[in-house]
Structure formats: structure tokens, C-alpha cells
Amino acid sequence: IALTIVIIIAAASIPTFKGLRAEQTAREPIQELTRLAKEARLRAMREKKAYQIVFHSGGFTASRYLSPYLQLSDLNDFLVQVAQEAEAPPEEKELANESNASRPTGDQVIYTKDATGGAEYKDWTEDYKLAEGTRLSVQFWHELEPVAVEGDIVKLWVFQPTGICQPLKVGLENDAVSILIEYASLTADIVRESTDI
């Protein structure tokens, strides 16, 4: 009888454990998005220039603010350019610094020397890829319903030099869990969240 009771309790706890594991996996992108939002806000205030988080079908990308009309192809080109410039030899980086004088403001590649005399690349980008099967939706304050971010759709969450951003709701959904998070406009903190397992 005792063995039967133990087996029944163990069998009942397996779905609960699977649900908790699915929720933990679904929360990982939210934790990363919150970290990137804090970092983008801090950089915007410290450097006195706008930064952004771009939501796209594959996930989200943090970088300096590029354009209000940003397309997914433009973002991909920018990420390739940043990766190539980061891997460039120091001589090419010095040439890039010299060529900045001819570039328009806001389109400059910035390199500085570190304490050891080597070149350090300064353009910040971080990219987060969503797990396969995860669906992302975004809703800004002026939108009546969440917009599914799929295909070539991109949504920009811009952090101004004052640290202010638009209030935002982000939804993440997979086969097991649905999470809706609301971010504040002044601090980019999570102010409300709901989870359906």
C-alpha cells in the first residue's frame, strides 16, 4: 500500500515538474531582455545618445540607435559590419578612426587605445536568439493589440539619452507556457507579469 501511494504521488508530480521546467526555460529570454534594457538605458544616459532594442522574428538585438525606419536587412547588415570591424587588425582600426572625420555624426566607428596600447572596439551590440518554437509579440502604449513579430517585421524599443523609453508589453509563448511582461517607461523595470502554463 505504501509503495502504491509513493508511485501515485511521484506520477502526479511529473507534470508539475515539466510545467516548472517549461516556465523556467520560457523565463530565460525575459531575464535577458531585462538585462539588455538596463544596459541600453545606462549606456544612453552615460553617453548621451540613443540606444535601442530591436525585436525581430529570431529574437532581439541591442545596439546604438540606427534609424526609425530600420528594416531587418539593415539590422543584419549592421551586425555583419560590426563583427567584421571588431575582427579587423589594429592597423585597419586606426585607419577607420582617421576616416571618421568624413562620416556623418552618429555613423562613426569609435576605437580607443586601452592601457596596454591595443585597440579596443567600442560599438556595443548584443543579440539574443529565441528557442525554436517560441513566438514573440510586442505592444507599445499606442497600439490596441499586441503585434506578433514574425517574418520581416521589426519593432524598435528606443532608450533616449534621458533614460526614458516607451512603456512596453512583451509576450513570449511556446507550446507549454505563455508569459506577458509589462515594462515601465522611466526605469525599464518589470511592473506587471502574468504566466499561463
Side-chain angles (χ1 to χ4, degrees), residues 89-133:
E91 303 82 33
E92 289 182 26
K93 291 181 180 182
E94 288 176 18
L95 290 174
N97 267 337
E98 293 169 10
S99 70
N100 276 338
S102 63
R103 293 186 183 195
T105 305
D107 195 25
Q108 295 182 351
V109 179
I110 302 168
Y111 298 100
T112 56
K113 296 281 185 183
D114 61 15
T116 61
E120 180 184 350
Y121 189 69
K122 290 300 216 181
D123 210 347
W124 174 69
T125 61
E126 286 193 48
D127 195 36
Y128 183 85
K129 301 286 186 203
L130 291 174
E132 191 71 31

Side-chain angles (χ1 to χ4, degrees), residues 55 135-150 153-155 167-173 178-182 194:
F55 297 96
R135 295 170 296 283
L136 174 68
S137 64
V138 174
Q139 182 181 6
F140 289 103
W141 64 272
H142 60 274
E143 296 173 327
L144 297 176
E145 295 180 356
V147 176
V149 182
E150 52 194 19
I153 294 176
V154 294
K155 293 294 225 171
L168 175 73
K169 291 181 183 177
V170 176
L172 286 166
E173 186 178 338
S178 175
I179 299 176
L180 181 64
I181 303 290
E182 186 174 343
S194 62

Side-chain angles (χ1 to χ4, degrees), residues 2-23:
L3 187 58
T4 305
I5 292 172
V6 169
I7 290 172
I8 291 171
I9 291 172
S13 67
I14 289 174
T16 304
F17 178 74
K18 285 182 179 178
L20 291 174
R21 180 69 184 140
E23 182 181 358

Side-chain angles (χ1 to χ4, degrees), residues 29-41:
I30 296 296
Q31 293 168 347
E32 188 63 16
L33 177 59
T34 303
R35 184 190 69 77
L36 288 179
K38 293 289 188 184
E39 180 68 19
R41 180 176 179 271

Side-chain angles (χ1 to χ4, degrees), residues 43 49 51-52 61-66 73-89 92-93 96 103 106-111 120-127:
R43 284 176 179 268
K49 64 180 183 180
Y51 276 83
Q52 67 185 6
T61 304
S63 71
R64 64 179 166 83
Y65 180 62
L66 299 174
S73 59
D74 299 332
L75 176 66
N76 290 334
D77 291 345
F78 172 72
L79 293 175
V80 168
Q81 175 188 350
V82 167
Q84 289 172 346
E85 290 173 347
E87 295 171 1
E92 289 182 26
K93 291 181 180 182
R103 293 186 183 195
D107 195 25
Q108 295 182 351
V109 179
I110 302 168
Y111 298 100
E120 180 184 350
Y121 189 69
K122 290 300 216 181
D123 210 347
W124 174 69
T125 61
E126 286 193 48
D127 195 36

